Amino acid sequence: MIVEIGHYALVLALCFAIVQGTVPFWGAARQDPALMSMAPAAALGQFLFVSMAFLALIYAHVTSDFSVLNVVENSSTMKPLIYKISGVWGNHEGSLVLWVWILCLFGAAVAARGHNLPDSFKARVLAIQGLIGVAFLAFILFTSNPFARLTPAPFEGNGLNPILQDPGLAIHPPMLYLGYVGFSMAYSFAMAALIEGRVDPAWARWLRPWTLAAWTALTLGIALGSWWAYYELGWGGFWFWDPVENASFMPWLAGTALLHSAIVVEKRDALKSWTILLAILTFSLSLLGTFLVRSGVLTSVHAFATDPSRGLFILLILIVAIGGSLALYAWRAPTMEGGGMFAPISRESGLVLNNLLLAAATATVLLGTLYPLILETTTGAKISVGGPYFQATFIPLMVPLIAAVPIGAMLAWKRADLPGVLARLKLAAAASLLVLLGVWAVRDGSSVMGLLGFLMAAWLVLGSLTELGQRIGLGTLPPGRVLGRLRGLPRSAFAMVIAHAGLGVLIAGMTAVSTGQTQRILTMSAGQTVDLAGYQVRFDGVEDVAGANYRAQRGQFTLLSASRVVATINSEKRTYLVERMPTTEAGIRTTLLGDTYLVLGDALSAGRWNVRMYYNPLAVWMWLGAGIMGVGGLVSLSDRRLRVGAPQPAAKPSTAAPARA
């Protein structure tokens, strides 16, 4: 009965989405308050019924209701509870329900918290969200029903892919979807602005918190996915430039550009058309990621194996959403006034450079992701575009961007003094060079790319801290006044420093692992000891162990330094009982200085085993840096200025916004 209620709730949610996507549009066009007021009610109703459906699907998985096909294909009675729950979104149908639930969550948040939005604008924003909901609810109900029954019901399910039975996968997809789907709100704000012909500082102020929330969630979601791949797949790396990894990275790059561009609209009433275009493209890239994962065109540990007909449905959504929005943009964008003027050397110009480099980086990743698919479709030839291409195209764009970040953050609006800014950053530059020399001395034989990476990381962190010090008068004012100015800074100023410094920490970790990894692949027998990056690793043998739903062979290793035991590390080869699939669990000892990463391989004759060993210096800095960036986003979200309207600039009577009650 609960399953039928869940299915019926999806049908009712589609009905509410249809109302939400049509009636408020009509009301806004007629300026009818009664019709416009239906938008928040419909958004809340849609969220309520999708929540009911989502809970019903979770209930079916938790209770192992094998009369539901989705439960049979993705669960079993032997799975621990946490994996029964996470298995709900570990498949195509369930993940779509999560996708739509998050879409409705953002719509309900605007309905409940968007009190500062004009009624007509709010109605149009929620109507656009409703139309997106119509598309994906129809996709679920007509092609991907998660509540389809199976008769007769089997006594046991097929289980879940073992590599998805991990705590990281319980958190990673919801966080990633909060980012992916959260950018739908930026899209809806852009479309509503194009329809109304209104893009001004107030609009940018309304847009920023929703974009910032999505960006923060996507940052943390990508980091969690990279962390999961690092410790679960047992290959010793953190990023493979997999097409589905790229599919989440591209919206992040475009969303980063959007955040910075919206600042220019808010502060200087400039870059309006560009900001609208970025809002459209960011969500379009999110939809592209959804298509790549579910179309069947990719083979990846991230992709859902689905039939092509579902991919055609999503492709149709993609064409309508992107084509319609770009057509509207082409029609309305030329009517937008340019806004404030600024000199070539100014904060605005720095943010334009930021946007251009991020847009170019997004384009290179998009080309490297889609070109093999296009080539295979048109000619049948199969090629692989991997790390060498992205390193040759992406990194050269990131170096000038990172170099410009501390400089741009210290430039004044409208017109700036570049020599003065460079003079204020000379201590940061000198300290960065000292870091470079220190790395060169400690890491004998470091590559040029490695040294450049550490230089950029140090410059980003120290430059950001210098900018903060300049703002509070550190070293030039008495301590009391410094503290007073520190307390008086808006939270967004702290957030910028935190996010930029976190990026520097992330770059340091990525550079260290990419250029300083030590690797050994060998065969070992019990009692044998080998050297690894200044440590000795002793193989103590293998024992059989039993888990909740698997059997494993656990390799035991002892890590020693100068004959002193430092740690015991275990690596397992697991065989899951229901799925009959083997997995490898890496054994990792993490410190701030580096990870000792051990993987037990296949058994050989005479008690010998294949073993892979890695030492990844500063690996934890990658996750720490991403976490710091996420904290920066949260701090910025807490800034009160994002919850109130921006001051309205003086406007001509013909272009003035409608008065608000």
Side-chain angles (χ1 to χ4, degrees):
M1 183 64 179
I2 297 229
V3 171
E4 279 67 33
I5 291 174
H7 190 188
Y8 187 52
L10 282 180
V11 175
L12 290 177
L14 177 60
C15 296
F16 271 87
I18 292 172
V19 172
Q20 180 184 336
T22 54
V23 175
F25 264 139
W26 180 246
R30 297 183 56 188
Q31 289 298 300
D32 187 327
L35 295 179
M36 289 190 291
S37 67
M38 293 188 66
L44 293 171
Q46 186 187 175
F47 175 66
L48 172 64
F49 285 110
V50 172
S51 297
M52 289 176 59
F54 193 33
L55 289 173
L57 188 58
I58 291 175
Y59 176 83
H61 275 259
V62 169
T63 58
S64 297
D65 185 351
F66 295 129
S67 67
V68 179
L69 179 61
N70 184 262
V71 179
V72 173
E73 292 180 341
N74 300 284
S75 189
S76 71
T77 56
M78 299 183 67
K79 273 201 321 183
L81 177 61
I82 184 175
Y83 302 137
K84 288 184 177 181
I85 296 173
S86 64
V88 172
W89 51 81
N91 60 87
H92 169 75
E93 294 82 4
S95 68
L96 276 175
V97 177
L98 175 64
W99 204 103
V100 174
W101 183 81
I102 292 175
L103 178 77
C104 296
L105 174 66
F106 275 89
V110 170
R113 303 291 298 173
H115 304 304
N116 59 335
L117 300 177
D119 290 340
S120 61
F121 184 78
K122 182 178 179 179
R124 289 187 170 105
V125 168
L126 290 176
I128 296 296
Q129 285 289 111
L131 291 177
I132 299 172
V134 169
F136 278 91
L137 283 167
F139 178 49
I140 292 174
L141 288 169
F142 296 128
T143 73
S144 309
N145 180 12
F147 298 107
R149 290 288 193 178
L150 181 64
T151 304
F155 291 104
E156 184 57 271
N158 299 332
L160 182 67
N161 189 332
I163 67 172
L164 302 181
Q165 297 187 39
D166 181 86
L169 263 292
I171 307 170
H172 161 58
M175 190 66 70
L176 197 67
Y177 283 13
L178 279 171
Y180 256 166
V181 187
F183 283 127
S184 67
M185 194 54 65
Y187 176 86
S188 297
F189 270 74
M191 294 293 286
L194 286 173
I195 293 170
E196 288 199 354
R198 171 178 181 162
V199 182
D200 54 24
W203 173 84
R205 182 69 64 87
W206 300 329
L207 171 72
R208 280 185 62 203
W210 303 103
T211 305
L212 190 58
W215 179 88
T216 302
L218 188 57
T219 300
L220 297 175
I222 292 173
L224 284 169
S226 176
W227 178 54
W228 166 79
Y230 174 72
Y231 72 78
E232 179 66 24
L233 300 184
W235 61 293
F238 61 90
W239 193 264
F240 195 65
W241 293 106
D242 179 281
V244 182
E245 290 176 336
N246 296 344
S248 63
F249 189 42
M250 289 185 290
W252 185 88
L253 290 170
T256 304
L258 173 61
L259 276 177
H260 290 85
S261 182
I263 295 173
V264 182
V265 180
E266 179 185 342
K267 300 292 186 182
R268 296 286 299 137
D269 198 25
L271 301 186
K272 298 177 184 179
S273 296
W274 176 244
T275 304
I276 290 285
L277 181 60
L278 279 176
I280 293 172
L281 292 180
T282 300
F283 183 58
S284 298
L285 289 170
S286 295
L287 289 177
L288 177 63
T290 302
F291 168 73
L292 290 176
V293 171
R294 293 173 171 81
S295 62
V297 302
L298 292 179
T299 301
S300 165
V301 297
H302 307 83
F304 296 107
T306 59
D307 61 84
S309 63
R310 293 174 174 176
L312 290 175
F313 198 114
I314 297 183
L315 183 61
L316 179 62
I317 296 174
L318 198 66
I319 292 171
V320 172
I322 299 176
S325 59
L326 290 180
L328 181 60
Y329 174 80
W331 175 43
R332 300 293 299 228
T335 65
M336 300 179 193
E337 295 184 1
M341 303 296 292
F342 51 88
I345 304 299
S346 63
R347 175 75 69 87
E348 295 94 326
S349 294
L351 291 171
V352 169
L353 176 64
N354 163 286
N355 271 222
L356 291 175
L357 290 172
L358 283 172
T362 305
T364 62
V365 177
L366 180 64
L367 177 62
T369 303
L370 295 186
Y371 177 71
L373 304 178
I374 296 173
L375 186 66
E376 182 178 355
T377 302
T378 55
T379 68
K382 293 186 177 182
I383 65 168
S384 176
V385 176
Y389 162 80
F390 293 104
Q391 291 164 11
T393 57
F394 184 80
I395 293 178
L397 292 169
M398 290 297 101
V399 171
L401 175 63
I402 294 165
V405 166
I407 299 171
M410 296 183 68
L411 293 174
W413 292 104
K414 195 172 182 180
R415 184 181 299 276
D417 176 21
L418 181 59
V421 169
L422 294 176
R424 292 195 295 273
L425 283 167
K426 61 185 179 182
L427 288 179
S432 300
L433 289 175
L434 288 176
V435 170
L436 175 66
L437 293 174
V439 171
W440 180 72
V442 171
R443 300 181 63 184
D444 185 32
S446 293
S447 66
V448 173
M449 292 303 297
L451 293 174
L452 180 61
F454 281 111
L455 177 63
M456 291 293 99
W459 169 245
L460 197 53
V461 173
L462 296 172
S464 299
L465 295 177
T466 299
E467 192 272 338
L468 177 62
Q470 293 284 336
R471 294 189 66 163
I472 63 178
L474 185 66
T476 60
L477 296 177
R481 289 191 61 188
V482 169
L483 290 175
R485 295 180 71 167
L486 186 65
R487 286 193 294 266
L489 281 180
R491 292 181 184 176
S492 59
F494 289 107
M496 180 183 68
V497 173
I498 293 170
H500 289 170
L503 179 59
V505 174
L506 172 64
I507 291 170
M510 294 171 61
T511 301
V513 174
S514 299
T515 63
Q517 183 186 71
T518 301
Q519 174 181 333
R520 295 200 64 178
I521 301 176
L522 65 165
T523 59
M524 299 184 71
S525 56
Q528 185 177 348
T529 301
V530 298
D531 294 329
L532 179 70
Y535 291 100
Q536 296 82 48
V537 180
R538 187 180 69 216
F539 180 40
D540 296 324
V542 175
E543 63 176 351
D544 294 330
V545 296
N549 59 337
Y550 64 85
R551 298 287 184 269
Q553 294 174 308
R554 176 181 295 166
Q556 299 176 327
F557 300 87
T558 300
L559 188 68
L560 304 104
S561 177
S563 301
R564 180 179 59 88
V565 174
V566 175
T568 299
I569 304 174
N570 295 323
S571 173
E572 295 181 357
K573 288 183 65 64
R574 294 180 178 177
T575 300
Y576 284 75
L577 303 179
V578 174
E579 296 85 356
R580 300 293 179 185
M581 290 178 63
T583 65
T584 299
E585 301 292 319
I588 306 174
R589 175 183 179 262
T590 297
T591 70
L592 278 176
L593 295 180
D595 285 4
T596 304
Y597 188 108
L598 308 178
V599 181
L600 181 69
D602 296 327
L604 303 175
S605 59
R608 297 183 64 81
W609 293 77
N610 286 325
V611 177
R612 285 181 287 121
M613 301 182 178
Y614 305 89
Y615 183 78
N616 294 324
L618 306 186
V620 73
W621 288 35
M622 294 185 291
W623 330 127
L624 181 62
I628 293 172
M629 292 172 66
V631 169
L634 294 174
V635 171
S636 186
L637 275 173
S638 69
D639 194 322
R640 180 182 177 275
R641 295 185 305 167
L642 293 182
R643 299 192 294 272
V644 298
Q648 288 293 326
K652 300 176 183 178
S654 60
T655 59
R660 291 170 56 194

